[in-house]
Amino acid sequence: MTEQGQSMLNRTVRKRHQLSAESIAKDLQISCGLQISITAVRRELHGMGLHKRAAACKPYITKCNAKRQMQ
């Protein structure tokens, strides 16, 4: 993928706040005229550090809270 294609992909993801490779590929084909496969979109998203997974909820544990839990 060219540098211009990567910037369009990055702009599309940031604008729409989604990570569905299928919908991003369709959007790039319609709006930008890029013929790009879903696999290439997934590869580029992974290379940019974007993964299709939800962030895990982690409790905020301070030293004080950890000490209370241990008691």
mmCIF file of all heavy atoms in Angstrom, residues 30-59:
data_model
loop_
_atom_site.group_PDB
_atom_site.id
_atom_site.type_symbol
_atom_site.label_atom_id
_atom_site.label_comp_id
_atom_site.label_asym_id
_atom_site.label_seq_id
_atom_site.Cartn_x
_atom_site.Cartn_y
_atom_site.Cartn_z
ATOM 1 N N ILE A 30 -15.399 3.327 -2.265
ATOM 2 C CA ILE A 30 -16.424 4.281 -2.699
ATOM 3 C C ILE A 30 -15.888 5.713 -2.701
ATOM 4 O O ILE A 30 -15.970 6.427 -3.702
ATOM 5 C CB ILE A 30 -17.670 4.184 -1.792
ATOM 6 C CG1 ILE A 30 -18.355 2.832 -2.003
ATOM 7 C CG2 ILE A 30 -18.640 5.312 -2.073
ATOM 8 C CD1 ILE A 30 -19.434 2.531 -0.980
ATOM 9 N N SER A 31 -15.322 6.148 -1.571
ATOM 10 C CA SER A 31 -14.949 7.556 -1.447
ATOM 11 C C SER A 31 -13.639 7.911 -2.154
ATOM 12 O O SER A 31 -13.531 8.988 -2.726
ATOM 13 C CB SER A 31 -14.855 7.944 0.030
ATOM 14 O OG SER A 31 -13.814 7.217 0.652
ATOM 15 N N CYS A 32 -12.665 7.019 -2.109
ATOM 16 C CA CYS A 32 -11.340 7.362 -2.634
ATOM 17 C C CYS A 32 -11.017 6.667 -3.952
ATOM 18 O O CYS A 32 -10.021 6.994 -4.587
ATOM 19 C CB CYS A 32 -10.266 6.994 -1.612
ATOM 20 S SG CYS A 32 -10.535 7.753 -0.009
ATOM 21 N N GLY A 33 -11.810 5.689 -4.334
ATOM 22 C CA GLY A 33 -11.543 4.967 -5.562
ATOM 23 C C GLY A 33 -10.413 3.964 -5.454
ATOM 24 O O GLY A 33 -9.891 3.500 -6.459
ATOM 25 N N LEU A 34 -10.018 3.614 -4.226
ATOM 26 C CA LEU A 34 -8.956 2.634 -4.018
ATOM 27 C C LEU A 34 -9.526 1.222 -4.098
ATOM 28 O O LEU A 34 -10.519 0.921 -3.455
ATOM 29 C CB LEU A 34 -8.302 2.815 -2.648
ATOM 30 C CG LEU A 34 -7.360 3.967 -2.455
ATOM 31 C CD1 LEU A 34 -6.899 4.008 -1.006
ATOM 32 C CD2 LEU A 34 -6.166 3.838 -3.362
ATOM 33 N N GLN A 35 -8.884 0.374 -4.866
ATOM 34 C CA GLN A 35 -9.250 -1.034 -4.902
ATOM 35 C C GLN A 35 -8.319 -1.757 -3.930
ATOM 36 O O GLN A 35 -7.151 -1.977 -4.225
ATOM 37 C CB GLN A 35 -9.100 -1.610 -6.321
ATOM 38 C CG GLN A 35 -10.085 -1.035 -7.310
ATOM 39 C CD GLN A 35 -11.530 -1.401 -6.941
ATOM 40 O OE1 GLN A 35 -11.806 -2.474 -6.439
ATOM 41 N NE2 GLN A 35 -12.429 -0.464 -7.184
ATOM 42 N N ILE A 36 -8.831 -2.091 -2.770
ATOM 43 C CA ILE A 36 -8.013 -2.692 -1.716
ATOM 44 C C ILE A 36 -8.773 -3.853 -1.103
ATOM 45 O O ILE A 36 -9.979 -3.787 -0.918
ATOM 46 C CB ILE A 36 -7.633 -1.639 -0.657
ATOM 47 C CG1 ILE A 36 -6.659 -2.205 0.354
ATOM 48 C CG2 ILE A 36 -8.839 -1.061 0.012
ATOM 49 C CD1 ILE A 36 -6.018 -1.157 1.215
ATOM 50 N N SER A 37 -8.066 -4.929 -0.838
ATOM 51 C CA SER A 37 -8.708 -6.114 -0.281
ATOM 52 C C SER A 37 -8.855 -5.975 1.226
ATOM 53 O O SER A 37 -8.180 -5.168 1.876
ATOM 54 C CB SER A 37 -7.888 -7.368 -0.596
ATOM 55 O OG SER A 37 -6.680 -7.346 0.125
ATOM 56 N N ILE A 38 -9.740 -6.784 1.781
ATOM 57 C CA ILE A 38 -9.982 -6.763 3.223
ATOM 58 C C ILE A 38 -8.728 -7.208 3.968
ATOM 59 O O ILE A 38 -8.384 -6.670 5.012
ATOM 60 C CB ILE A 38 -11.186 -7.659 3.562
ATOM 61 C CG1 ILE A 38 -12.445 -7.079 2.921
ATOM 62 C CG2 ILE A 38 -11.370 -7.791 5.060
ATOM 63 C CD1 ILE A 38 -13.634 -7.999 2.945
ATOM 64 N N THR A 39 -8.017 -8.184 3.396
ATOM 65 C CA THR A 39 -6.788 -8.666 4.021
ATOM 66 C C THR A 39 -5.738 -7.563 4.099
ATOM 67 O O THR A 39 -5.048 -7.420 5.112
ATOM 68 C CB THR A 39 -6.226 -9.860 3.230
ATOM 69 O OG1 THR A 39 -7.253 -10.833 3.088
ATOM 70 C CG2 THR A 39 -5.045 -10.476 3.935
ATOM 71 N N ALA A 40 -5.620 -6.777 3.047
ATOM 72 C CA ALA A 40 -4.654 -5.675 3.044
ATOM 73 C C ALA A 40 -5.033 -4.621 4.075
ATOM 74 O O ALA A 40 -4.159 -4.056 4.747
ATOM 75 C CB ALA A 40 -4.573 -5.053 1.663
ATOM 76 N N VAL A 41 -6.326 -4.358 4.212
ATOM 77 C CA VAL A 41 -6.784 -3.387 5.215
ATOM 78 C C VAL A 41 -6.430 -3.888 6.608
ATOM 79 O O VAL A 41 -5.899 -3.149 7.440
ATOM 80 C CB VAL A 41 -8.302 -3.129 5.097
ATOM 81 C CG1 VAL A 41 -8.807 -2.311 6.272
ATOM 82 C CG2 VAL A 41 -8.616 -2.420 3.804
ATOM 83 N N ARG A 42 -6.693 -5.171 6.878
ATOM 84 C CA ARG A 42 -6.374 -5.738 8.188
ATOM 85 C C ARG A 42 -4.878 -5.661 8.466
ATOM 86 O O ARG A 42 -4.452 -5.333 9.569
ATOM 87 C CB ARG A 42 -6.828 -7.193 8.258
ATOM 88 C CG ARG A 42 -8.301 -7.343 8.441
ATOM 89 C CD ARG A 42 -8.662 -8.795 8.667
ATOM 90 N NE ARG A 42 -10.108 -8.930 8.675
ATOM 91 C CZ ARG A 42 -10.780 -9.866 8.022
ATOM 92 N NH1 ARG A 42 -10.136 -10.769 7.316
ATOM 93 N NH2 ARG A 42 -12.079 -9.907 8.080
ATOM 94 N N ARG A 43 -4.067 -5.972 7.474
ATOM 95 C CA ARG A 43 -2.618 -5.942 7.625
ATOM 96 C C ARG A 43 -2.140 -4.525 7.945
ATOM 97 O O ARG A 43 -1.301 -4.322 8.825
ATOM 98 C CB ARG A 43 -1.954 -6.447 6.346
ATOM 99 C CG ARG A 43 -0.464 -6.612 6.463
ATOM 100 C CD ARG A 43 0.188 -7.108 5.183
ATOM 101 N NE ARG A 43 -0.583 -8.070 4.447
ATOM 102 C CZ ARG A 43 -1.048 -7.877 3.188
ATOM 103 N NH1 ARG A 43 -0.801 -6.763 2.549
ATOM 104 N NH2 ARG A 43 -1.743 -8.812 2.579
ATOM 105 N N GLU A 44 -2.686 -3.545 7.241
ATOM 106 C CA GLU A 44 -2.279 -2.157 7.472
ATOM 107 C C GLU A 44 -2.740 -1.659 8.845
ATOM 108 O O GLU A 44 -2.007 -0.947 9.529
ATOM 109 C CB GLU A 44 -2.827 -1.249 6.369
ATOM 110 C CG GLU A 44 -2.183 -1.479 5.032
ATOM 111 C CD GLU A 44 -0.692 -1.180 5.029
ATOM 112 O OE1 GLU A 44 -0.258 -0.231 5.711
ATOM 113 O OE2 GLU A 44 0.035 -1.906 4.345
ATOM 114 N N LEU A 45 -3.963 -2.015 9.253
ATOM 115 C CA LEU A 45 -4.451 -1.611 10.569
ATOM 116 C C LEU A 45 -3.577 -2.211 11.668
ATOM 117 O O LEU A 45 -3.255 -1.559 12.656
ATOM 118 C CB LEU A 45 -5.906 -2.045 10.759
ATOM 119 C CG LEU A 45 -6.944 -1.290 9.934
ATOM 120 C CD1 LEU A 45 -8.308 -1.926 10.120
ATOM 121 C CD2 LEU A 45 -6.978 0.172 10.303
ATOM 122 N N HIS A 46 -3.204 -3.468 11.488
ATOM 123 C CA HIS A 46 -2.347 -4.122 12.465
ATOM 124 C C HIS A 46 -0.979 -3.434 12.508
ATOM 125 O O HIS A 46 -0.405 -3.243 13.583
ATOM 126 C CB HIS A 46 -2.190 -5.601 12.120
ATOM 127 C CG HIS A 46 -1.441 -6.373 13.154
ATOM 128 N ND1 HIS A 46 -1.991 -6.724 14.360
ATOM 129 C CD2 HIS A 46 -0.177 -6.854 13.170
ATOM 130 C CE1 HIS A 46 -1.101 -7.388 15.070
ATOM 131 N NE2 HIS A 46 0.020 -7.482 14.363
ATOM 132 N N GLY A 47 -0.470 -3.057 11.352
ATOM 133 C CA GLY A 47 0.805 -2.356 11.282
ATOM 134 C C GLY A 47 0.759 -0.988 11.942
ATOM 135 O O GLY A 47 1.764 -0.503 12.469
ATOM 136 N N MET A 48 -0.414 -0.354 11.924
ATOM 137 C CA MET A 48 -0.580 0.953 12.568
ATOM 138 C C MET A 48 -0.828 0.811 14.067
ATOM 139 O O MET A 48 -0.956 1.794 14.783
ATOM 140 C CB MET A 48 -1.752 1.718 11.935
ATOM 141 C CG MET A 48 -1.472 2.147 10.529
ATOM 142 S SD MET A 48 -2.707 3.210 9.734
ATOM 143 C CE MET A 48 -4.254 2.751 10.417
ATOM 144 N N GLY A 49 -0.936 -0.442 14.548
ATOM 145 C CA GLY A 49 -1.141 -0.662 15.980
ATOM 146 C C GLY A 49 -2.595 -0.699 16.388
ATOM 147 O O GLY A 49 -2.908 -0.616 17.569
ATOM 148 N N LEU A 50 -3.503 -0.828 15.428
ATOM 149 C CA LEU A 50 -4.928 -0.896 15.732
ATOM 150 C C LEU A 50 -5.377 -2.345 15.624
ATOM 151 O O LEU A 50 -5.172 -2.995 14.605
ATOM 152 C CB LEU A 50 -5.721 -0.016 14.773
ATOM 153 C CG LEU A 50 -5.352 1.462 14.810
ATOM 154 C CD1 LEU A 50 -6.039 2.202 13.691
ATOM 155 C CD2 LEU A 50 -5.711 2.058 16.141
ATOM 156 N N HIS A 51 -5.984 -2.839 16.687
ATOM 157 C CA HIS A 51 -6.412 -4.228 16.729
ATOM 158 C C HIS A 51 -7.892 -4.288 17.043
ATOM 159 O O HIS A 51 -8.435 -3.403 17.693
ATOM 160 C CB HIS A 51 -5.634 -5.004 17.788
ATOM 161 C CG HIS A 51 -4.156 -4.852 17.650
ATOM 162 N ND1 HIS A 51 -3.430 -5.522 16.705
ATOM 163 C CD2 HIS A 51 -3.272 -4.075 18.321
ATOM 164 C CE1 HIS A 51 -2.154 -5.190 16.816
ATOM 165 N NE2 HIS A 51 -2.029 -4.295 17.782
ATOM 166 N N LYS A 52 -8.533 -5.345 16.610
ATOM 167 C CA LYS A 52 -9.970 -5.491 16.829
ATOM 168 C C LYS A 52 -10.202 -6.240 18.134
ATOM 169 O O LYS A 52 -10.394 -7.452 18.158
ATOM 170 C CB LYS A 52 -10.602 -6.241 15.654
ATOM 171 C CG LYS A 52 -12.107 -6.235 15.687
ATOM 172 C CD LYS A 52 -12.672 -6.882 14.471
ATOM 173 C CE LYS A 52 -14.180 -6.864 14.535
ATOM 174 N NZ LYS A 52 -14.757 -7.469 13.359
ATOM 175 N N ARG A 53 -10.130 -5.488 19.209
ATOM 176 C CA ARG A 53 -10.410 -6.070 20.513
ATOM 177 C C ARG A 53 -10.782 -4.949 21.474
ATOM 178 O O ARG A 53 -10.355 -3.809 21.311
ATOM 179 C CB ARG A 53 -9.236 -6.871 21.041
ATOM 180 C CG ARG A 53 -7.977 -6.061 21.247
ATOM 181 C CD ARG A 53 -6.862 -6.932 21.716
ATOM 182 N NE ARG A 53 -6.109 -7.359 20.550
ATOM 183 C CZ ARG A 53 -4.841 -7.615 20.526
ATOM 184 N NH1 ARG A 53 -4.148 -7.512 21.620
ATOM 185 N NH2 ARG A 53 -4.221 -7.982 19.440
ATOM 186 N N ALA A 54 -11.548 -5.296 22.455
ATOM 187 C CA ALA A 54 -11.970 -4.313 23.445
ATOM 188 C C ALA A 54 -10.919 -4.201 24.533
ATOM 189 O O ALA A 54 -10.232 -5.171 24.864
ATOM 190 C CB ALA A 54 -13.307 -4.715 24.051
ATOM 191 N N ALA A 55 -10.795 -3.038 25.082
ATOM 192 C CA ALA A 55 -9.859 -2.831 26.175
ATOM 193 C C ALA A 55 -10.392 -3.503 27.434
ATOM 194 O O ALA A 55 -11.588 -3.486 27.707
ATOM 195 C CB ALA A 55 -9.663 -1.337 26.426
ATOM 196 N N ALA A 56 -9.516 -4.117 28.181
ATOM 197 C CA ALA A 56 -9.918 -4.781 29.415
ATOM 198 C C ALA A 56 -10.110 -3.734 30.507
ATOM 199 O O ALA A 56 -9.333 -2.784 30.619
ATOM 200 C CB ALA A 56 -8.857 -5.783 29.840
ATOM 201 N N CYS A 57 -11.153 -3.909 31.303
ATOM 202 C CA CYS A 57 -11.392 -3.020 32.433
ATOM 203 C C CYS A 57 -10.490 -3.449 33.577
ATOM 204 O O CYS A 57 -10.531 -4.599 34.015
ATOM 205 C CB CYS A 57 -12.849 -3.078 32.869
ATOM 206 S SG CYS A 57 -13.961 -2.368 31.675
ATOM 207 N N LYS A 58 -9.677 -2.543 34.039
ATOM 208 C CA LYS A 58 -8.754 -2.844 35.121
ATOM 209 C C LYS A 58 -9.019 -1.883 36.264
ATOM 210 O O LYS A 58 -9.094 -0.678 36.060
ATOM 211 C CB LYS A 58 -7.313 -2.698 34.636
ATOM 212 C CG LYS A 58 -6.981 -3.658 33.519
ATOM 213 C CD LYS A 58 -5.615 -3.410 32.987
ATOM 214 C CE LYS A 58 -5.391 -4.328 31.809
ATOM 215 N NZ LYS A 58 -4.250 -3.934 31.016
ATOM 216 N N PRO A 59 -9.178 -2.406 37.438
ATOM 217 C CA PRO A 59 -9.433 -1.508 38.573
ATOM 218 C C PRO A 59 -8.193 -0.697 38.912
ATOM 219 O O PRO A 59 -7.062 -1.168 38.777
ATOM 220 C CB PRO A 59 -9.789 -2.465 39.706
ATOM 221 C CG PRO A 59 -9.117 -3.734 39.347
ATOM 222 C CD PRO A 59 -9.129 -3.802 37.843
#
